[in-house]
Amino acid sequence: MEESDIICRFLDAELCLHPNVLEQISSMEDPSEIVERLISSTEGNGRIITPEDVRALKTEVVIKKGRLRIAEEYDSEIELRDVSKNAPRRGCIEGFLEHFNSRYEKGLKVFRERKHLIDSHTVEQALAAGGKSDVKIIGLVESVRESKKGNTIIFIEDPSGVIPVVVLKSDRELAEFARTIVNDDILAVEGVTGSREGGIVIAKTLSFPDVPYQRTTESRSEPLAIALVSDIHIGSFEFMEKEFLRFLKWLNCEVGSSRQRELAERVKYMVVAGDLVDGVGIYPGQIDDLNIKDIFSQYKRLSELFDMIPDYIEIIIGPGNHDATRQAEPQTPIFEDYAPGLYENPMIHMVGNPCYARLHGTSVLAYHGRSMDDIISKVPGNSYSEPDKAMLNLLKKRQLVPIFGEKVPVSPGTEDCLFIDEVPDILHCGHVHTTGVQSYRGVTIVNSGAFQSQTDFQKRLNMQPDPGKVPIYEISTRKTTIMKFT
Ligand SMILES: [Fe+2]
């Protein structure tokens, strides 16, 4: 139905339209049905149809009960490790000291699993080693700078001191690696101390904690799948309700080819990595971008939509930077007061950001992904159009938030819960609104995109989202299929 036909139909019925309603109706699955329902449910000539009237119609996906779906035949197996509850948060200098000591200890433990680093030196030992000695040190990056001659100087710190490490520009491969190093990274350095009295190390190799080539993973034969979702942004004018409803219909096996419906039948779990709603007051002038202007109503609509998900699918929900919870990471779960409908749904598990989930033997690390803003701006070769590449940096560094003091506020605690201490089968992020999937040493890296079309803010930054897609991971084959709902 063309927009002009919609206007004519309402004029015939002697009804007026709020300026936002036309776009709202046009973007819906069946505009002509919505128009007729609005006309028949509105009393009084000359009345103005508002966005609230359209929302009140509650476009529903009707759950039809028939034979058992494949996923329905299996009992769920869920173990959650919500690290936001791990350590008490301390907003003081001592809290930050504990936080970075914990990061160092966790990194040291991972490095020491490599045989050749078991006998690594402390910075103090390296400083005292004299000239031309082979040393191996493990520490946090205090700072990185370029020398006048174009070499890279990395200041490495451990509890015993700080030592400068030089990466010569003539060692091209190592110099290239050094460009990916950021402040607060944990790093292993093998090198030789300077020729006279030492006090400086010339690097021969540099490495991040990384993921081991071989690790034990659980093989399962159940034909079940996990849907990976993020950045729904309900409340925004750009929320793609029509496409999201198509996704819900697919989960209900109502749309798609027979092969796609068969895949839908196998979805047993859904993991949502934050930004469920657009929120309120997230950036200046956001109010003009909202068609649902209060956050309680945004979560209410979200709950209504999630109630349309088949009742055998377990849903794990963590927050993002648009959600109603603490902004500093690790974030606590979305507050119950704002989203009571989600807490009332027995199939929904509300967790913090980040969170580890083991689902039928498959371990998923869900993290919203705000630190990708820092990685993309600081590490050459990364971009918003290839989110999986930026996520690979996080995995190799074993840090969800590598840099302290940039765009991500961090809440310090007795433990650095943002260190990746358990290598997952799936690293799942969102935040950047583009979809990307890749595999690295047995870990599937997934960015699940969004259900929000390009906002004015993104237009100004020349960011091109890639919304309306949902990656589906099959547990038995470890294969990921990207379902498109646009
Ligand atoms: Fe988002």
Side-chain angles (χ1 to χ4, degrees):
M1 194 176 193
E2 298 291 322
E3 290 193 349
S4 55
D5 296 332
I6 297 175
I7 295 168
C8 288
R9 184 69 191 95
F10 279 110
L11 285 175
D12 287 346
E14 298 183 10
L15 293 169
C16 303
L17 295 182
H18 181 280
N20 296 331
V21 163
L22 194 58
E23 193 187 335
Q24 198 182 5
I25 295 176
S26 303
S27 70
M28 295 175 104
E29 180 85 356
D30 188 350
S32 54
E33 187 207 329
I34 300 294
V35 169
E36 294 311 320
R37 283 174 64 193
L38 279 167
I39 290 171
S40 62
S41 63
T42 309
E43 288 173 8
N45 293 350
R47 244 207 72 189
I48 298 173
I49 306 288
T50 65
E52 284 68 35
D53 292 328
V54 182
R55 277 199 300 279
L57 283 179
K58 286 184 191 166
T59 334
E60 300 283 344
V61 175
V62 180
I63 298 177
K64 293 170 192 154
K65 275 284 172 190
R67 65 171 178 79
L68 280 186
R69 307 289 188 204
I70 295 170
E72 213 171 351
E73 293 175 22
Y74 294 87
D75 290 334
S76 43
E77 290 180 27
I78 299 190
E79 280 170 52
L80 297 172
R81 183 158 74 90
D82 183 351
V83 297
S84 71
K85 294 174 185 157
N86 257 23
R89 302 285 107 198
R90 300 182 65 197
C92 56
I93 297 286
E94 289 74 22
F96 285 105
L97 278 174
E98 287 171 344
H99 183 89
F100 285 103
N101 281 335
S102 163
R103 174 177 295 200
Y104 170 73
E105 292 298 333
K106 286 187 178 199
L108 190 67
K109 186 167 173 268
V110 174
F111 278 125
R112 288 271 170 90
E113 282 163 11
R114 296 186 200 166
K115 275 184 193 154
H116 71 286
L117 289 174
I118 287 174
D119 58 348
S120 65
H121 305 97
T122 63
V123 165
E124 190 177 29
Q125 287 167 333
L127 284 167
K132 290 188 177 176
S133 305
D134 288 327
V135 290
K136 304 169 189 177
I137 48 174
I138 293 167
L140 297 180
V141 175
E142 187 202 57
S143 60
V144 189
R145 66 176 173 82
E146 198 175 294
S147 74
K148 281 181 188 163
K149 290 179 181 171
N151 299 320
T152 306
I153 319 281
I154 307 165
F155 290 86
I156 300 284
E157 180 181 24
D158 76 0
S160 71
V162 182
I163 192 166
V165 172
V166 180
V167 181
L168 299 171
K169 72 171 179 186
S170 54
D171 191 341
R172 291 209 179 146
E173 207 176 308
L174 205 59
E176 193 58 34
F177 181 91
R179 280 155 57 84
T180 67
I181 295 168
V182 295
N183 288 356
D184 310 318
D185 270 340
I186 179 136
L187 208 61
V189 180
E190 291 171 72
V192 61
T193 53
S195 56
R196 287 177 199 156
E197 288 140 19
I200 193 166
V201 175
I202 313 297
K204 287 182 183 169
T205 70
L206 299 168
S207 53
F208 293 127
D210 216 318
V211 172
Y213 284 99
Q214 286 183 329
R215 62 194 173 89
T216 326
T217 54
E218 204 175 328
S219 288
R220 300 291 290 257
S221 58
E222 292 93 334
L224 300 174
I226 306 168
L228 301 163
V229 178
S230 67
D231 299 85
I232 306 171
H233 286 273
I234 287 174
S236 159
F237 276 119
E238 274 71 35
F239 164 52
M240 296 163 67
E241 179 157 307
K242 186 171 78 177
E243 289 76 7
F244 193 72
L245 283 165
R246 197 171 295 147
F247 165 55
L248 297 181
K249 283 185 177 176
W250 174 75
L251 283 177
N252 281 282
C253 307
E254 284 176 29
V255 292
S257 65
S258 57
R259 221 168 128 212
Q260 289 168 339
R261 286 179 199 220
E262 198 262 345
L263 181 59
E265 272 202 44
R266 297 197 273 124
V267 175
K268 181 72 184 167
Y269 304 99
M270 183 163 131
V271 181
V272 192
D275 281 6
L276 287 98
V277 298
D278 208 51
V280 173
I282 307 294
Y283 54 87
Q286 189 199 14
I287 194 84
D288 298 328
D289 297 338
L290 296 176
N291 74 341
I292 305 177
K293 295 189 193 302
D294 83 87
I295 199 161
F296 296 96
S297 305
Q298 292 177 4
Y299 280 114
K300 186 168 176 284
R301 181 62 186 144
L302 179 82
S303 305
E304 288 166 2
L305 290 169
F306 272 40
D307 285 345
M308 300 173 202
I309 294 170
D311 62 5
Y312 54 81
I313 296 180
E314 304 270 2
I315 306 162
I316 291 129
I317 294 181
N321 55 303
H322 282 249
D323 286 301
T325 186
R326 175 176 81 196
Q327 287 301 296
E329 298 183 5
Q331 288 182 284
T332 43
I334 294 166
F335 296 137
E336 187 172 356
D337 290 355
Y338 289 80
L342 296 178
Y343 281 84
E344 282 160 16
N345 184 329
M347 297 309 282
I348 292 181
H349 308 262
M350 301 297 284
V351 298
N353 171 42
C355 182
Y356 293 82
R358 185 168 284 275
L359 311 170
H360 254 91
T362 296
S363 62
V364 184
L365 170 53
Y367 168 60
H368 179 59
R370 200 171 179 183
S371 65
M372 272 189 285
D373 290 335
D374 292 335
I375 288 292
I376 288 166
S377 67
K378 302 270 177 197
V379 179
N382 287 284
S383 71
Y384 284 101
S385 59
E386 295 177 299
D388 48 308
K389 213 168 161 185
M391 288 168 66
L392 179 57
N393 279 270
L394 303 181
L395 189 62
K396 286 182 175 177
K397 291 170 188 283
R398 298 282 288 264
Q399 268 297 325
L400 293 172
V401 184
I403 319 169
F404 176 75
E406 294 290 335
K407 291 205 178 81
V408 188
V410 171
S411 172
T414 50
E415 184 188 342
D416 179 5
C417 305
L418 301 163
F419 188 93
I420 304 174
D421 51 13
E422 177 189 335
V423 177
D425 296 315
I426 303 171
L427 173 60
H428 172 210
C429 294
H431 188 62
V432 294
H433 294 209
T434 44
T435 311
V437 178
Q438 70 163 287
S439 184
Y440 176 74
R441 296 187 185 176
V443 180
T444 302
I445 297 170
V446 179
N447 197 295
S448 48
F451 272 98
Q452 186 186 37
S453 57
Q454 192 183 40
T455 61
D456 284 344
F457 177 71
Q458 289 169 332
K459 239 178 246 173
R460 284 198 294 276
L461 297 179
N462 200 23
M463 283 166 67
Q464 292 291 341
D466 173 30
K469 297 176 179 174
V470 178
I472 309 293
Y473 178 93
E474 294 175 57
I475 288 172
S476 59
T477 61
R478 298 170 191 240
K479 190 180 133 197
T480 306
T481 304
I482 298 180
M483 290 294 302
K484 292 181 188 172
F485 298 97
T486 48

mmCIF file of all heavy atoms in Angstrom, residues 163-193:
data_model
loop_
_atom_site.group_PDB
_atom_site.id
_atom_site.type_symbol
_atom_site.label_atom_id
_atom_site.label_comp_id
_atom_site.label_asym_id
_atom_site.label_seq_id
_atom_site.Cartn_x
_atom_site.Cartn_y
_atom_site.Cartn_z
ATOM 1 N N ILE A 163 60.221 -1.395 32.744
ATOM 2 C CA ILE A 163 61.404 -1.478 31.878
ATOM 3 C C ILE A 163 61.007 -1.095 30.442
ATOM 4 O O ILE A 163 59.943 -1.502 29.973
ATOM 5 C CB ILE A 163 62.026 -2.897 31.947
ATOM 6 C CG1 ILE A 163 63.407 -2.907 31.286
ATOM 7 C CG2 ILE A 163 61.135 -3.950 31.314
ATOM 8 C CD1 ILE A 163 64.220 -4.168 31.618
ATOM 9 N N PRO A 164 61.859 -0.308 29.759
ATOM 10 C CA PRO A 164 61.558 -0.016 28.356
ATOM 11 C C PRO A 164 61.968 -1.167 27.445
ATOM 12 O O PRO A 164 63.030 -1.762 27.635
ATOM 13 C CB PRO A 164 62.397 1.245 28.062
ATOM 14 C CG PRO A 164 63.444 1.288 29.108
ATOM 15 C CD PRO A 164 63.015 0.455 30.281
ATOM 16 N N VAL A 165 61.102 -1.479 26.490
ATOM 17 C CA VAL A 165 61.373 -2.534 25.508
ATOM 18 C C VAL A 165 61.372 -1.866 24.134
ATOM 19 O O VAL A 165 60.426 -1.165 23.784
ATOM 20 C CB VAL A 165 60.277 -3.627 25.575
ATOM 21 C CG1 VAL A 165 60.439 -4.627 24.437
ATOM 22 C CG2 VAL A 165 60.308 -4.337 26.924
ATOM 23 N N VAL A 166 62.450 -2.077 23.379
ATOM 24 C CA VAL A 166 62.563 -1.433 22.072
ATOM 25 C C VAL A 166 62.227 -2.436 20.971
ATOM 26 O O VAL A 166 62.745 -3.552 20.958
ATOM 27 C CB VAL A 166 64.006 -0.896 21.853
ATOM 28 C CG1 VAL A 166 64.126 -0.225 20.482
ATOM 29 C CG2 VAL A 166 64.386 0.057 22.961
ATOM 30 N N VAL A 167 61.341 -2.022 20.078
ATOM 31 C CA VAL A 167 61.056 -2.817 18.887
ATOM 32 C C VAL A 167 61.657 -2.048 17.718
ATOM 33 O O VAL A 167 61.229 -0.927 17.400
ATOM 34 C CB VAL A 167 59.533 -3.007 18.685
ATOM 35 C CG1 VAL A 167 59.263 -3.864 17.452
ATOM 36 C CG2 VAL A 167 58.895 -3.619 19.923
ATOM 37 N N LEU A 168 62.693 -2.629 17.097
ATOM 38 C CA LEU A 168 63.398 -1.925 16.022
ATOM 39 C C LEU A 168 62.536 -1.859 14.766
ATOM 40 O O LEU A 168 61.896 -2.853 14.398
ATOM 41 C CB LEU A 168 64.722 -2.633 15.715
ATOM 42 C CG LEU A 168 65.708 -2.695 16.892
ATOM 43 C CD1 LEU A 168 66.883 -3.600 16.554
ATOM 44 C CD2 LEU A 168 66.193 -1.296 17.272
ATOM 45 N N LYS A 169 62.562 -0.693 14.111
ATOM 46 C CA LYS A 169 61.722 -0.569 12.906
ATOM 47 C C LYS A 169 62.239 -1.458 11.778
ATOM 48 O O LYS A 169 61.483 -1.825 10.877
ATOM 49 C CB LYS A 169 61.615 0.888 12.466
ATOM 50 C CG LYS A 169 62.858 1.477 11.847
ATOM 51 C CD LYS A 169 62.551 2.844 11.264
ATOM 52 C CE LYS A 169 63.830 3.411 10.674
ATOM 53 N NZ LYS A 169 63.717 4.765 10.205
ATOM 54 N N SER A 170 63.545 -1.851 11.872
ATOM 55 C CA SER A 170 64.097 -2.740 10.840
ATOM 56 C C SER A 170 63.509 -4.154 10.941
ATOM 57 O O SER A 170 63.505 -4.902 9.969
ATOM 58 C CB SER A 170 65.620 -2.808 10.974
ATOM 59 O OG SER A 170 65.953 -3.183 12.300
ATOM 60 N N ASP A 171 62.995 -4.522 12.109
ATOM 61 C CA ASP A 171 62.334 -5.823 12.274
ATOM 62 C C ASP A 171 60.865 -5.627 11.898
ATOM 63 O O ASP A 171 59.998 -5.407 12.744
ATOM 64 C CB ASP A 171 62.482 -6.289 13.739
ATOM 65 C CG ASP A 171 62.048 -7.738 13.914
ATOM 66 O OD1 ASP A 171 61.324 -8.247 13.028
ATOM 67 O OD2 ASP A 171 62.424 -8.346 14.926
ATOM 68 N N ARG A 172 60.602 -5.682 10.585
ATOM 69 C CA ARG A 172 59.289 -5.239 10.082
ATOM 70 C C ARG A 172 58.115 -6.006 10.664
ATOM 71 O O ARG A 172 57.094 -5.422 11.013
ATOM 72 C CB ARG A 172 59.257 -5.334 8.566
ATOM 73 C CG ARG A 172 60.163 -4.323 7.949
ATOM 74 C CD ARG A 172 59.661 -3.930 6.597
ATOM 75 N NE ARG A 172 60.557 -2.932 6.076
ATOM 76 C CZ ARG A 172 60.869 -2.786 4.818
ATOM 77 N NH1 ARG A 172 60.328 -3.577 3.924
ATOM 78 N NH2 ARG A 172 61.688 -1.853 4.422
ATOM 79 N N GLU A 173 58.264 -7.340 10.741
ATOM 80 C CA GLU A 173 57.140 -8.154 11.224
ATOM 81 C C GLU A 173 56.802 -7.803 12.673
ATOM 82 O O GLU A 173 55.635 -7.626 13.038
ATOM 83 C CB GLU A 173 57.524 -9.627 11.111
ATOM 84 C CG GLU A 173 56.323 -10.527 10.933
ATOM 85 C CD GLU A 173 56.751 -11.962 10.729
ATOM 86 O OE1 GLU A 173 57.595 -12.221 9.840
ATOM 87 O OE2 GLU A 173 56.275 -12.800 11.491
ATOM 88 N N LEU A 174 57.854 -7.648 13.491
ATOM 89 C CA LEU A 174 57.641 -7.332 14.907
ATOM 90 C C LEU A 174 57.103 -5.898 15.066
ATOM 91 O O LEU A 174 56.234 -5.640 15.901
ATOM 92 C CB LEU A 174 58.958 -7.492 15.673
ATOM 93 C CG LEU A 174 58.831 -7.789 17.157
ATOM 94 C CD1 LEU A 174 58.054 -9.079 17.392
ATOM 95 C CD2 LEU A 174 60.204 -7.883 17.820
ATOM 96 N N ALA A 175 57.614 -4.988 14.235
ATOM 97 C CA ALA A 175 57.141 -3.599 14.295
ATOM 98 C C ALA A 175 55.655 -3.524 13.926
ATOM 99 O O ALA A 175 54.887 -2.750 14.511
ATOM 100 C CB ALA A 175 57.965 -2.725 13.360
ATOM 101 N N GLU A 176 55.242 -4.371 12.983
ATOM 102 C CA GLU A 176 53.825 -4.431 12.573
ATOM 103 C C GLU A 176 52.971 -4.930 13.742
ATOM 104 O O GLU A 176 51.904 -4.392 14.041
ATOM 105 C CB GLU A 176 53.711 -5.375 11.365
ATOM 106 C CG GLU A 176 52.404 -5.326 10.605
ATOM 107 C CD GLU A 176 52.069 -3.947 10.053
ATOM 108 O OE1 GLU A 176 52.991 -3.193 9.654
ATOM 109 O OE2 GLU A 176 50.875 -3.620 10.056
ATOM 110 N N PHE A 177 53.470 -5.967 14.429
ATOM 111 C CA PHE A 177 52.750 -6.501 15.599
ATOM 112 C C PHE A 177 52.642 -5.414 16.676
ATOM 113 O O PHE A 177 51.601 -5.252 17.311
ATOM 114 C CB PHE A 177 53.493 -7.734 16.158
ATOM 115 C CG PHE A 177 52.819 -8.363 17.344
ATOM 116 C CD1 PHE A 177 51.894 -9.380 17.172
ATOM 117 C CD2 PHE A 177 53.088 -7.926 18.643
ATOM 118 C CE1 PHE A 177 51.249 -9.957 18.262
ATOM 119 C CE2 PHE A 177 52.453 -8.490 19.740
ATOM 120 C CZ PHE A 177 51.536 -9.513 19.551
ATOM 121 N N ALA A 178 53.723 -4.661 16.853
ATOM 122 C CA ALA A 178 53.751 -3.634 17.912
ATOM 123 C C ALA A 178 52.669 -2.574 17.700
ATOM 124 O O ALA A 178 52.198 -1.950 18.652
ATOM 125 C CB ALA A 178 55.128 -2.979 17.970
ATOM 126 N N ARG A 179 52.269 -2.378 16.438
ATOM 127 C CA ARG A 179 51.209 -1.393 16.159
ATOM 128 C C ARG A 179 49.851 -1.821 16.708
ATOM 129 O O ARG A 179 48.932 -1.018 16.819
ATOM 130 C CB ARG A 179 51.111 -1.177 14.641
ATOM 131 C CG ARG A 179 52.188 -0.236 14.099
ATOM 132 C CD ARG A 179 52.484 -0.493 12.633
ATOM 133 N NE ARG A 179 51.330 -0.391 11.763
ATOM 134 C CZ ARG A 179 50.863 0.745 11.244
ATOM 135 N NH1 ARG A 179 51.442 1.867 11.531
ATOM 136 N NH2 ARG A 179 49.817 0.751 10.454
ATOM 137 N N THR A 180 49.700 -3.120 17.050
ATOM 138 C CA THR A 180 48.416 -3.593 17.586
ATOM 139 C C THR A 180 48.384 -3.528 19.123
ATOM 140 O O THR A 180 47.384 -3.870 19.737
ATOM 141 C CB THR A 180 48.127 -5.060 17.150
ATOM 142 O OG1 THR A 180 49.092 -5.918 17.779
ATOM 143 C CG2 THR A 180 48.203 -5.216 15.653
ATOM 144 N N ILE A 181 49.519 -3.084 19.709
ATOM 145 C CA ILE A 181 49.600 -3.041 21.180
ATOM 146 C C ILE A 181 49.020 -1.730 21.698
ATOM 147 O O ILE A 181 49.299 -0.659 21.149
ATOM 148 C CB ILE A 181 51.071 -3.202 21.627
ATOM 149 C CG1 ILE A 181 51.573 -4.600 21.237
ATOM 150 C CG2 ILE A 181 51.230 -2.954 23.122
ATOM 151 C CD1 ILE A 181 53.070 -4.767 21.368
ATOM 152 N N VAL A 182 48.194 -1.827 22.738
ATOM 153 C CA VAL A 182 47.601 -0.622 23.346
ATOM 154 C C VAL A 182 47.936 -0.594 24.842
ATOM 155 O O VAL A 182 48.352 -1.614 25.411
ATOM 156 C CB VAL A 182 46.059 -0.585 23.151
ATOM 157 C CG1 VAL A 182 45.701 -0.447 21.673
ATOM 158 C CG2 VAL A 182 45.398 -1.825 23.746
ATOM 159 N N ASN A 183 47.764 0.543 25.448
ATOM 160 C CA ASN A 183 48.007 0.678 26.887
ATOM 161 C C ASN A 183 47.206 -0.368 27.657
ATOM 162 O O ASN A 183 46.070 -0.661 27.300
ATOM 163 C CB ASN A 183 47.578 2.062 27.384
ATOM 164 C CG ASN A 183 48.527 3.141 26.909
ATOM 165 O OD1 ASN A 183 49.540 2.850 26.280
ATOM 166 N ND2 ASN A 183 48.187 4.383 27.210
ATOM 167 N N ASP A 184 47.803 -0.898 28.707
ATOM 168 C CA ASP A 184 47.169 -1.853 29.629
ATOM 169 C C ASP A 184 47.051 -3.273 29.087
ATOM 170 O O ASP A 184 46.493 -4.142 29.738
ATOM 171 C CB ASP A 184 45.781 -1.373 30.108
ATOM 172 C CG ASP A 184 45.818 0.044 30.612
ATOM 173 O OD1 ASP A 184 46.777 0.379 31.314
ATOM 174 O OD2 ASP A 184 44.897 0.828 30.288
ATOM 175 N N ASP A 185 47.563 -3.509 27.862
ATOM 176 C CA ASP A 185 47.641 -4.893 27.367
ATOM 177 C C ASP A 185 48.556 -5.693 28.269
ATOM 178 O O ASP A 185 49.500 -5.140 28.868
ATOM 179 C CB ASP A 185 48.290 -4.921 25.963
ATOM 180 C CG ASP A 185 47.264 -4.804 24.847
ATOM 181 O OD1 ASP A 185 46.084 -5.074 25.094
ATOM 182 O OD2 ASP A 185 47.671 -4.440 23.727
ATOM 183 N N ILE A 186 48.324 -7.009 28.344
ATOM 184 C CA ILE A 186 49.315 -7.866 28.995
ATOM 185 C C ILE A 186 50.100 -8.559 27.887
ATOM 186 O O ILE A 186 49.537 -9.032 26.912
ATOM 187 C CB ILE A 186 48.691 -8.865 29.993
ATOM 188 C CG1 ILE A 186 49.787 -9.722 30.610
ATOM 189 C CG2 ILE A 186 47.603 -9.726 29.396
ATOM 190 C CD1 ILE A 186 49.662 -9.925 32.071
ATOM 191 N N LEU A 187 51.433 -8.552 28.065
ATOM 192 C CA LEU A 187 52.323 -8.915 26.972
ATOM 193 C C LEU A 187 53.467 -9.789 27.490
ATOM 194 O O LEU A 187 53.942 -9.594 28.610
ATOM 195 C CB LEU A 187 52.911 -7.593 26.450
ATOM 196 C CG LEU A 187 53.343 -7.474 25.008
ATOM 197 C CD1 LEU A 187 52.163 -7.711 24.065
ATOM 198 C CD2 LEU A 187 53.902 -6.058 24.768
ATOM 199 N N ALA A 188 53.903 -10.747 26.665
ATOM 200 C CA ALA A 188 55.148 -11.476 26.968
ATOM 201 C C ALA A 188 56.207 -10.996 25.985
ATOM 202 O O ALA A 188 55.943 -10.897 24.786
ATOM 203 C CB ALA A 188 54.935 -12.972 26.824
ATOM 204 N N VAL A 189 57.384 -10.676 26.511
ATOM 205 C CA VAL A 189 58.480 -10.175 25.680
ATOM 206 C C VAL A 189 59.667 -11.105 25.854
ATOM 207 O O VAL A 189 60.057 -11.428 26.979
ATOM 208 C CB VAL A 189 58.908 -8.756 26.137
ATOM 209 C CG1 VAL A 189 60.057 -8.238 25.269
ATOM 210 C CG2 VAL A 189 57.731 -7.797 26.123
ATOM 211 N N GLU A 190 60.242 -11.539 24.739
ATOM 212 C CA GLU A 190 61.524 -12.255 24.794
ATOM 213 C C GLU A 190 62.520 -11.388 24.049
ATOM 214 O O GLU A 190 62.234 -10.895 22.951
ATOM 215 C CB GLU A 190 61.401 -13.610 24.134
ATOM 216 C CG GLU A 190 60.518 -14.557 24.930
ATOM 217 C CD GLU A 190 60.225 -15.836 24.173
ATOM 218 O OE1 GLU A 190 61.141 -16.654 24.048
ATOM 219 O OE2 GLU A 190 59.095 -15.991 23.724
ATOM 220 N N GLY A 191 63.675 -11.168 24.651
ATOM 221 C CA GLY A 191 64.636 -10.286 24.000
ATOM 222 C C GLY A 191 65.984 -10.330 24.686
ATOM 223 O O GLY A 191 66.265 -11.221 25.506
ATOM 224 N N VAL A 192 66.801 -9.362 24.356
ATOM 225 C CA VAL A 192 68.146 -9.298 24.919
ATOM 226 C C VAL A 192 68.351 -7.904 25.500
ATOM 227 O O VAL A 192 67.858 -6.912 24.953
ATOM 228 C CB VAL A 192 69.197 -9.665 23.834
ATOM 229 C CG1 VAL A 192 69.164 -8.694 22.653
ATOM 230 C CG2 VAL A 192 70.590 -9.753 24.398
ATOM 231 N N THR A 193 69.013 -7.857 26.650
ATOM 232 C CA THR A 193 69.214 -6.553 27.285
ATOM 233 C C THR A 193 70.273 -5.745 26.524
ATOM 234 O O THR A 193 71.121 -6.309 25.842
ATOM 235 C CB THR A 193 69.654 -6.719 28.767
ATOM 236 O OG1 THR A 193 70.778 -7.589 28.794
ATOM 237 C CG2 THR A 193 68.543 -7.284 29.610
#
